[in-house]
Amino acid sequence: MSNRKILHAADIHLDSPLQKLDSYEHAPVERIRGASRRALENMVRLAIDESVDLVVIAGDLYDGDWNDQNTGLFFVGEASKLVSAGIPLVVIRGNHDAQNLMTSSLPLPGNPDGSEIMMRSDQVDLRVFESIGVAVHGRSFQQRRELDNMALAYPKPLGGLFNVGLLHTSLTGAEGHDPYAPCTPKQLADKHYDYWALGHIHQRGEHGLDDAAPVVFSGNIQGRHIRESGQRGCVLVEIDSSGSCQRVFHPLDVVRWQMCTIDVSRMSYTDDVVEEFQSWVVQQAASAQHRLLVVRVELVGASALHTDLHRQHNNLQAALRATCVAHGGDQAWLESLRVKTSALANPMLDQLQLDGPMESLNAVIEELQSDPELAAVIEDELRGLTKKLPDELLGVDAAIDVHDPASLRALVESAAAEIRGRLHMTEAHRQVSQGPLDLRQLDPPGFDGVEVP
Amino acid sequence: MIIQRLDLKAYGRFTDVSLDLSAGPRRFHLVYGPNESGKTTSLRAITSLLFGMQHRTDDNYVHNNTQLRVGGLLVAADGSALECVRRRGRKATLRDADDNEPIEESLLSSMLGGIDRETFLTRFGLSHQELVEGGAAIIAGEGDLGEILFAAGAGVSRLREIQAQLIESREKLFVPRGSRAINQSIKELEEQRKELRQIQIQPSEFIDLRDRLRRKRAEAEDLQWASQQSAVQLARLHAYQQSLPLLPKWRSTQQELAPLFDAPLLDDAFSERRREAESQREIADKLRESLSDRITELTRQVESLPVDSTVLDHASEIESVFQELAARDKADRDRVELIRVRRNLDRKLLDLLDELSVHVTPEELESSDAVDEAILRLRVSDAMRARIHELASHHQRVIQQRDDASERLKTLQRKLADVNVQLDDLGTPADPAALSAVIDEIGSPASLLDSLEQQTAICKRIQEQCDDHLRNLEGFDGNCKAAIRLQIPEQSVIERIAADMSEADKIARRLKAELVSFGQQRDQLNRSLVADRQNEPLPTAEDLKESRRVRDLSLAALSKQPPQESSVELLERLRDQILAADNMVDTIRTHHARVHQREVDQQKLASIDQQIADLEKNVESAIQRFDTASEQWESIWRACGIRPAAAERMQRWIHEHEKLLDRFNQWELEEQRREQIGQRVVRAAKRLRSALESVAAARAVTVGSGYTQAGLFDPPPTSESLASLYDDAVTLRGELLGRRQEYDTLRRRRDEWSEELSVVRTRLESCQRAVDQWQDDWRRVTEPFAAENRTRPSVVVSLLSRIDELCSKKRERDILCSRIKSIGEDDDTYARRVDRLAAAIKLDVQQRGEPGAIARMMYARLQGERSGAGKRASLCSEIEQAKLRLAESISQRDQSDIVLGQLCIEAGAKSANQLPEIERRSRQRLRLEASLRDLENQLSLLAGDEVIDKFVDAARQQNPALLIEQIREEESQLDHLRQRLSDAQQEIGALGHEMNLFNGSGRAAELHQSIQFLLGKLDRDADQYARLRIASLIMRRAIDHYRRENQNPVLAIAEQMFRRLTCGEYQSLKVDYDAKGKSILVGERCRVDGSSVVDVPVSLMSVGTADALYLALRLASLQHQLSHGQAVPLVIDDCLIQLDDDRAAAALQLFSELSESTQVILFTHHQHLLDLASAHLNPDDFHVHRL
């Protein structure tokens, strides 16, 4: 048997939107729309261009709560392209599409050999592609919450063929993912298959034991929020005549989430942040190969600029957006600016033994930070707003998350910096902060300070 | 930490300016500088030194960014010192004192206790604006104690504004019931979600539609099949119907065909082939006959044609001669023309020779030797010709140069004569140098006179001031000088006596005040006693005593009497008296309090009376003491001749006298200065006059200049006429300078022209030589061909062109002659050739004429011979052709016979004659067979897949009448089926169209994405709102915290300061509570008469008082903080300009006192603050620096 290629993808989450992006002037909005569709098109184009022999998708074609038949029909269109090109496709349902009526109603085409694309959910299903010597064992989720170990029921491998196990599972569990179809890498290895193509965990990774079949999560094909940052795509499995395989990752994403962490501890001016971000954007845009980069800038480190950065948060964010527009072309989008800096510890201040209002302010902030009832205090203070806000904005990674102590402390720290900034604002500061943002002020030309060696 | 020294090395407008701020122990420094003096710059320099220069600076307008430096010497609380320099830049900006090496920033930072620029500016900086805003905030803040304390403590006058901004900013984002950014976003979100639900296509809809489409398609397929079956049946019935008329014809054809079974099946072209073969055989026969006749006729014609071979032998020569004929005719015409041209040339040659003075006759011309000779004589060589042209071109130049030189010489001679006349007229002018030196040395008298005038004015002003001061010396009637000479009593004596007077007066006043007070008390007690008496008379102790005494007397009287003598009357009286005494005791007991009070009052009254008496004595002694002191006062002043006034006024008098002394001294100094200037004026006038006189003397020597200035030196110069003298001197100097300049100019010109005159003379001579030389050369070169009277260059050049023309015409004529001669020779040659050729072809001699006619004749004969030969050849060729065609026609006939033979074999005929009959039978058989096939085809089409015989049998069994009825029924059924099918297909189309709408469009997904954009915006706004809201919370808590912790100590200090700053108008500060229980600050103000205090809420205080309150609280906060921490300099920027003088003085005192705890640097541009400080502070309590 000559060399064969299998494309392994998972977690397509078709038409799942890119979450909580705040649009702004000159932001490349159109490049955001339909990102998951473009990523799927990239996958199909890759399969055809690479002349793969088989495509397997390990679950979660769409979001579970998304009901628009057009989404399914778009998938049908892409599946038809594969079939027309003579490439068979095998898909299992994951937790998201288990009970989605859309999946069962899809007018999916048959594979070139006549077999069905979607695998059964009542038992472990089998597809044998004799021409390429590959057998695929797989089982779709019957219900959203499959809490049993599904891997145990997978049969023995078929002799003389390259056996692929297709499974939607959290393995032994992963942060941010529900523990569905739990199993261990050892249990998968014991099946003596040649390759386990897994889905569900969106982070790409290999979990196979030494001297056992590769156990691979290909990750999702398009990141949808900042927690899904970095390259997203599929794994191309190349099987040689002896049955051993090589895995090569291919990025498919059209919009790439990137975290830009800037350490401000060595910076003396807020302008330095913009300069560093500018060089970062230019470098990243060059390496992103025409993809749109959605960037979250996180400022960290202990710095004398701490108060200024919080105080000028909006101005700085606008400057970074302008940098995206000016230097990232239509290739960069600033998702948000998160200031997570801390104030510079100043032990010398104790010498002054100042007993003034700022010390009262510090005392109040410390008191609030260490208050065990902080959540209740803030919840009470913000009740008017939280009653009106939609649920999405009250949970994890949202503006207001009263259940996350770190988030609450950050909110207090940010508010404290706001006050400090306003109290410290001298006349010059006032003019800068009250006027419209002027990039020239943030990046003053002609500063000719001479460095002394 | 204190700033010992501030070095403005290169900063703003300053270069190497240093402020020494080291003085102590009170470290209160007043830095004075008028506007534009750099006060703000030096203020900024302090923050630049301590915290580095700002990124954007305006202080680089003198020194560029790299040169900016500010330095200083800083001393920490522990005595350690740091001398450093600050430069501009990003890194290593703090440098050692020599600006060589960078210093660790931490050294300075540690001295500053780690505070940053903002903390320093807010907490240790105080400006006028802050004071105004702080005061305004206090008034606007309704007295909220926490806010006031916090604002003053933090140095943030805009605290309320900041709180209001926080609320305003967050309310721009969200209010629970409003339409702000977040509210609108939420509303928009709901609308978009609703729209999304509407445009989403549910899978159930899709499944339902798909099932309906599937069912409809199945139905359509059934209908399609049924209608097809019906159509098939209908077609069969139609086929039976159509086949019925065909059947009889089919049978008759079969019968006709039977007898023709043996007829051969000839193809369609057989008859044609036969007829063609026969026709060709016939044609071949006819052709053979006609060709034989033709050959015979042609042979006869050939034989009849004649032959002339001689002509043909010389054909080429005859043609050549004939062709040349045209050339010969043309040559004849040319010769005539050439001869005419030659004659014209001859005439021109004669004319030219005549012009060149060579006379030749036409006959001589014909021989041409005479002409050649003449031409040879006239010819000019190329070298000569070039020389002539060269000389001709130089001619104009040499003549022109000579004429120019001559002209210039004349002009110069004329000018020199003129200038000599002018110089003689002008004579030698006087030298203005001496006068000019004096004028320059003295300079413009305006400044000298101005300063004299100014000095006089100053003297006058000071004198007036002295007079003013003198007038203010009340009680002294002398003049100024007498006042100066006055011996004023010693200060100690004055102060002692004044103190005595003052003390005596003070004691007297105090005693009088007490006297009045006691008087009031006595009046009050008297009034009280009178009232008591008026109310209800009460017995006094004396009354009781008296009553008891009367009773005791009666009792004693009764006891002395014998009992028998005791009368009832006496007993009754005694009883009454006892009763009265008892009643009195009872009354006293009952009204014990009143009685007691009355007694007390009476005792008080007695005591007051005693005190009044004592006081009156004391008052008297105090008045005496005052009078004694007054007398001493009067005497010491009278001794000086001064009528003294009260002590305070005399203090002012002394002060005024001191001022007078100062002013007088100053006046004397200024007078001296005025005197000096006056002397300078007189000296200058003298010098000018002598200079002018010496010029006049010099002018007197000049004879005949005709220049005088009447009256200029007539009067002797005085100091008053300095200005006019100066003006005259300047005028004269200008005039002298002008004349001198004119004289110099004329001299210079004369010299220049004299020099030029000799040069021009030399040049004229040289030009004349060049002209002579030219004329010699010219004569030499033109001599050979030009007469004496024709040697002008233009004439000679013209002659040269004539000679050229003559030569050219001569050459032309020679060529013409040669051509005419050549044509004649050619004619002769041609005639000889023609004759020779005519003889060769034996042309008849009698027929000969001129060569042209002979040539034409020979050519005609040649043409005739050629025509005959051609005709003969044509006929021979035609005979050959005819013979070939004859052979072909014989072969054609044989071929036709063979074809006919083959046709007979094909048709089975014995001879060609049988062939037509056989062809007829064959054609009939073929036609019938075709007809039969056609019928069978039709039947076969009708039968469809059925075998034709079976179909024919079935058709024969059909009844035509029933068949029509069956067809009608079947058609009706088919129409019905088709209608149903069409309906079903339309329905499928509609469902399909609906299905096509499920095209995988991303519209819903895009809306879903838009919702996420909205959520993103909402997320950001909510974050901002939460931040602002929590910021407000923290602010409230911090204000409260600070108030709790610092209220008492800060208020205690602030109260004292406030009292001083309001000059005692406000006594204290206290905390009160408003209706909501909130702590508010209240000031206690004394009434005007000082009798009591009233509470004034801070919001009702005047602007000035609120400013003072803010300042008091600010300084109190600072002092409170400094009481237990490290000191940092307090830098104040002109914050006292709102306060009146008394309050400002109080503030300066407070600053001075505060400067014992920390350095206080006050920048101001108000001189009166310095005056106030001088008036109200000890000299060591403050230090003035001027920028």
Side-chain angles (χ1 to χ4, degrees), chain A residues 368 371-383, chain B residues 1030 1033 1037:
Chain A
L368 206 53
D371 188 352
E373 298 297 317
L374 177 61
V377 170
I378 289 182
E379 203 167 7
D380 192 42
E381 194 67 20
L382 302 178
R383 194 177 305 285
Chain B
I1030 301 304
L1033 170 74
R1037 287 190 173 194

Side-chain angles (χ1 to χ4, degrees), chain B residues 164-180:
Chain B
Q165 278 175 359
L166 282 173
I167 294 170
E168 189 192 354
S169 300
R170 78 166 190 246
E171 287 188 345
K172 272 184 189 166
L173 290 168
F174 175 74
V175 286
R177 272 173 290 280
S179 57
R180 306 299 158 82

Side-chain angles (χ1 to χ4, degrees), chain A residues 37 346 353 392 414 430 450, chain B residues 87 114 193 1000 1027 1124:
Chain A
R37 291 189 174 208
N346 191 350
Q353 295 182 5
E392 294 98 315
S414 167
R430 280 190 223 177
V450 178
Chain B
R87 57 179 277 281
R193 284 192 161 149
R1027 198 148 72 105
H1124 50 271

Side-chain angles (χ1 to χ4, degrees), chain A residues 89-163:
Chain A
L89 169 67
V90 180
V91 180
I92 56 171
R93 297 185 193 192
N95 55 310
H96 273 280
D97 34 20
Q99 289 178 319
N100 196 322
L101 191 57
M102 190 155 63
T103 316
S104 58
S105 65
L106 284 186
L108 279 170
N111 275 324
D113 66 351
S115 62
E116 284 185 17
I117 286 175
M118 196 64 76
M119 289 190 130
R120 296 172 65 162
S121 60
D122 53 348
Q123 64 180 59
V124 180
D125 206 351
L126 172 66
R127 298 277 182 281
V128 177
F129 301 98
E130 289 287 357
S131 60
I132 55 171
V134 175
V136 182
H137 308 268
R139 182 180 163 188
S140 292
F141 271 36
Q142 210 161 13
Q143 56 192 0
R144 185 182 178 89
R145 295 167 60 79
E146 287 284 1
L147 299 175
D148 293 337
N149 186 338
M150 289 171 71
L152 294 177
Y154 275 55
K156 287 180 181 172
L158 299 182
L161 295 173
F162 185 86
N163 286 270

Side-chain angles (χ1 to χ4, degrees), chain B residues 13-53:
Chain B
R13 60 186 286 274
F14 296 109
T15 307
D16 289 332
V17 173
S18 192
L19 285 179
D20 181 4
L21 304 172
S22 60
R26 285 198 172 183
R27 301 184 179 282
F28 178 32
H29 299 276
L30 275 162
V31 183
Y32 169 76
N35 281 332
E36 304 298 323
S37 67
K39 183 171 61 71
T40 316
T41 307
S42 39
L43 185 64
R44 204 158 46 238
I46 291 179
T47 50
S48 292
L49 172 64
L50 299 181
F51 304 102
M53 294 183 198

Side-chain angles (χ1 to χ4, degrees), chain A residues 352-396:
Chain A
L352 280 175
Q353 295 182 5
L354 292 174
D355 197 10
M358 299 314 284
E359 287 60 39
S360 284
L361 181 65
N362 293 340
V364 164
I365 292 163
E366 267 179 41
E367 197 180 289
L368 206 53
Q369 292 280 35
S370 56
D371 188 352
E373 298 297 317
L374 177 61
V377 170
I378 289 182
E379 203 167 7
D380 192 42
E381 194 67 20
L382 302 178
R383 194 177 305 285
L385 177 67
T386 51
K387 267 162 54 183
K388 300 259 180 181
L389 281 184
D391 293 342
E392 294 98 315
L393 300 182
L394 296 172
V396 179

Side-chain angles (χ1 to χ4, degrees), chain B residues 903-914:
Chain B
L903 289 174
C904 287
I905 294 164
E906 203 176 319
K910 289 174 181 161
S911 71
N913 299 334
Q914 291 175 343

Side-chain angles (χ1 to χ4, degrees), chain B residues 398-525:
Chain B
V398 291
I399 296 296
Q400 185 66 41
Q401 281 174 350
R402 187 197 59 192
D403 293 349
D404 287 351
S406 168
E407 188 62 30
R408 183 64 187 157
L409 185 68
K410 284 177 195 157
T411 309
L412 282 174
Q413 282 166 345
R414 196 175 61 250
K415 279 184 177 174
L416 267 175
D418 289 349
V419 86
N420 280 330
V421 170
Q422 281 180 13
L423 274 171
D424 291 346
D425 289 350
L426 199 59
T428 310
D431 187 1
L435 183 60
S436 187
V438 171
I439 289 171
D440 291 345
E441 208 172 318
I442 289 171
S444 171
S447 63
L448 197 59
L449 292 173
D450 281 353
S451 54
L452 180 63
E453 201 175 321
Q454 277 177 12
Q455 195 59 37
T456 310
I458 288 168
C459 289
K460 196 176 168 193
R461 195 173 70 242
I462 295 174
Q463 196 179 359
E464 282 168 6
Q465 285 173 348
C466 286
D467 292 344
D468 288 348
H469 289 311
L470 187 66
R471 271 195 295 281
N472 288 339
L473 294 179
E474 291 172 14
F476 177 75
D477 299 329
N479 61 10
C480 204
K481 288 190 178 162
I484 300 306
R485 282 194 299 275
L486 267 180
Q487 292 295 321
I488 294 172
E490 280 182 22
Q491 184 66 23
S492 58
V493 175
I494 292 170
E495 280 178 358
R496 182 173 54 75
I497 297 173
D500 274 0
M501 283 168 68
S502 167
E503 198 182 340
D505 185 48
K506 212 183 282 175
I507 291 169
R509 280 169 194 271
R510 181 170 55 78
L511 291 174
K512 278 179 187 167
E514 285 178 9
L515 208 54
V516 170
S517 170
F518 281 124
Q520 285 172 347
Q521 285 182 30
R522 186 174 62 182
D523 292 348
Q524 197 173 356
L525 284 171

